[in-house]
Amino acid sequence: MAAYIVRRLLLILPTLWAIITINFFIVQIAPGGPVDQAIAEMQGLGSTSGTERISGSISGDSGAPQSSGASAYRGARGLDPEVIAEIEKRYGFDKPLLARYGEMLKNYLTFNFGDSLFRGRSVLALIAERLPVSVSLGLWSTLIIYLVSIPLGIRKAVKNGTPFDVWTSTAIILGNAIPSFLFAVLLVVLFSGGSFLKIFPLRGLASVDGANWSLPARILDYFWHLTLPIIAITIGGFATLTMLTKNSFLDEIHKQYVTTARAKGLTEKKILLGHVFRNAMLIVIAGFPAAFISMFFTGSVLIEVIFSLDVMGLLGFESKMQRDYPVIFATLYIFTLLGLVLSLVSDVMYTVIDPRIDFEAR
């Protein structure tokens, strides 16, 4: 098993390189980059003060702008070539494409992601600021979904076709049909100072004066702030995992080894937990990394906006809209790395649950 883990860890490097390389060249050659956006904003401002705010101190005559000739950027007509060159230098586009690519790879080996193009802060500082919130939402949402869905799915499999199975299926399907952002708005209206009660806070994950509180009080305040966002995120997440668990158990229950175990006189509880659970949970565990990555990285931008949460999903969305390349590639790099590591953890969990699986032999 150790040799398999080492091979998988070594395979992470070329996989990470391939993903970063493909995305780098696709994004870099796409129109509407940061230079184009800066030029468009300058043209819209139409004042010297606005130009200085965008491109910093620019040398040259302050009179009428000269023709930029055949510029590679849309909307650059009428701007001084020195202005274009200054903007390119500021955003790092004064270097050839391959030079920028090589510099990015060298920096990423040491986790040097540079500075954001539009926020005036280092990318690591931006990620470190939002990562705890994303981890909180992703971790607790995934744990709640798994802790509820797996026992519920097992119970539904045992009670298949009974009224319990029918009404629980109806409940989770209705929950899955409700858009999460709409449910978030409903929670705000009902419990967060809308038209009814004001029980839960609306912003952030800590109270303004919470830093001076005792540790137990800060922990309670943390979960107090998390309650509504977690409910809004998880409300539609039970259906898939619950039905997957139920169907996996139903498939295993009807196999020959279960009939043999019953013939030997084993109790239903021992059959379910000692034999069926091990086999049925394999497919559920296989989906855990994808579920966690989905909750952790993407989440719901609308829910994050509704509850005023600064998380990775919102940062990634804003960066893509602004063409903030350092933030885009840094988040992609970290997300991909964590995703590959979690995939390896999932394979290791296979062998923990079912020792018959031997990746080393394969």
Side-chain angles (χ1 to χ4, degrees):
M1 189 63 183
Y4 171 77
I5 294 176
V6 171
R7 288 199 302 270
R8 286 290 301 272
L9 290 175
L10 293 177
L11 186 61
I12 287 177
L13 297 178
T15 305
L16 191 61
W17 168 79
I19 293 174
I20 290 294
T21 299
I22 292 172
N23 282 273
F24 175 85
F25 286 103
I26 290 176
V27 172
Q28 290 284 336
I29 63 178
V35 176
D36 294 282
Q37 293 200 16
I39 292 173
E41 188 172 349
M42 289 176 61
Q43 296 282 38
L45 290 172
S47 64
T48 305
S49 60
T51 303
E52 290 174 353
R53 178 161 58 88
I54 298 298
S55 61
S57 56
I58 300 173
S59 59
D61 190 359
S62 60
Q66 302 172 6
S67 174
S68 59
S71 175
Y73 302 104
R74 297 178 180 179
R77 178 176 298 178
L79 290 179
D80 194 318
E82 294 183 3
V83 175
I84 305 299
E86 178 68 22
I87 297 175
E88 289 179 331
K89 184 178 180 180
R90 167 158 298 193
Y91 293 134
F93 280 77
D94 56 330
K95 302 175 182 178
L97 180 64
L98 292 179
R100 298 200 304 269
Y101 170 68
E103 184 177 353
M104 183 196 71
L105 291 182
K106 182 179 68 174
N107 291 334
Y108 277 23
L109 290 175
T110 59
F111 287 87
N112 177 19
F113 301 119
D115 297 328
S116 169
L117 299 181
F118 300 101
R119 291 175 172 84
R121 299 177 59 190
S122 71
V123 175
L124 276 179
L126 290 171
I127 294 176
E129 182 182 279
R130 289 161 172 79
L131 195 59
V133 185
S134 294
V135 170
S136 296
L137 292 177
L139 177 63
W140 295 117
S141 299
T142 306
L143 285 178
I144 290 174
I145 289 174
Y146 269 73
L147 290 175
V148 172
S149 297
I150 292 177
L152 181 59
I154 296 174
R155 187 68 176 172
K156 286 173 65 62
V158 174
K159 299 290 186 180
N160 185 42
T162 63
F164 172 82
D165 181 38
V166 174
W167 73 260
T168 52
S169 295
T170 303
I172 62 175
I173 290 174
L174 288 176
N176 188 56
I178 300 175
S180 57
F181 72 91
L182 184 61
F183 191 73
V185 173
L186 179 62
L187 291 175
V188 170
V189 172
L190 293 178
F191 304 110
S192 190
S195 304
F196 296 90
L197 304 176
K198 189 176 182 180
I199 301 176
F200 297 98
L202 184 58
R203 299 179 181 276
L205 291 184
S207 298
V208 177
D209 54 346
N212 301 322
W213 296 357
S214 63
L215 180 59
R218 291 202 302 269
I219 294 175
L220 289 175
D221 182 60
Y222 166 76
F223 285 106
W224 183 45
H225 282 76
L226 269 178
T227 301
L228 293 187
I230 292 297
I231 293 175
I233 292 174
T234 58
I235 188 64
F238 298 110
T240 301
L241 186 59
T242 300
M243 300 309 295
L244 177 62
T245 304
K246 175 190 173 182
N247 293 333
S248 297
F249 265 78
L250 286 176
D251 184 57
E252 294 295 327
I253 286 173
H254 293 94
K255 289 186 176 180
Q256 184 63 41
Y257 73 89
V258 176
T259 305
T260 303
R262 286 172 179 160
K264 291 180 179 180
L266 296 179
T267 62
E268 287 295 319
K269 182 177 180 180
K270 191 169 184 179
I271 293 173
L272 287 175
L273 298 180
H275 297 276
V276 177
F277 183 84
R278 175 187 297 175
N279 297 320
M281 283 297 98
L282 290 176
I283 190 172
V284 176
I285 291 175
F288 178 80
F292 182 75
I293 291 295
S294 177
M295 288 290 184
F296 179 38
F297 298 140
T298 57
S300 174
V301 174
L302 290 176
I303 291 179
E304 295 161 8
V305 172
I306 290 171
F307 292 103
S308 302
L309 299 173
D310 291 329
V311 295
M312 297 292 291
L314 185 59
L315 175 65
F317 174 76
E318 292 175 346
S319 301
K320 291 179 179 65
M321 296 300 294
Q322 295 175 333
R323 300 296 198 275
D324 197 343
Y325 292 156
V327 179
I328 292 175
F329 293 126
T331 53
L332 174 66
Y333 183 85
I334 293 175
F335 292 176
T336 304
L337 180 61
L338 289 177
L340 293 172
V341 172
L342 284 175
S343 178
L344 175 58
V345 172
S346 176
D347 287 347
V348 174
M349 287 301 297
Y350 274 127
T351 63
V352 172
I353 291 181
D354 192 347
R356 296 173 299 174
I357 298 177
D358 186 5
F359 289 104
E360 184 64 30
R362 296 176 59 188

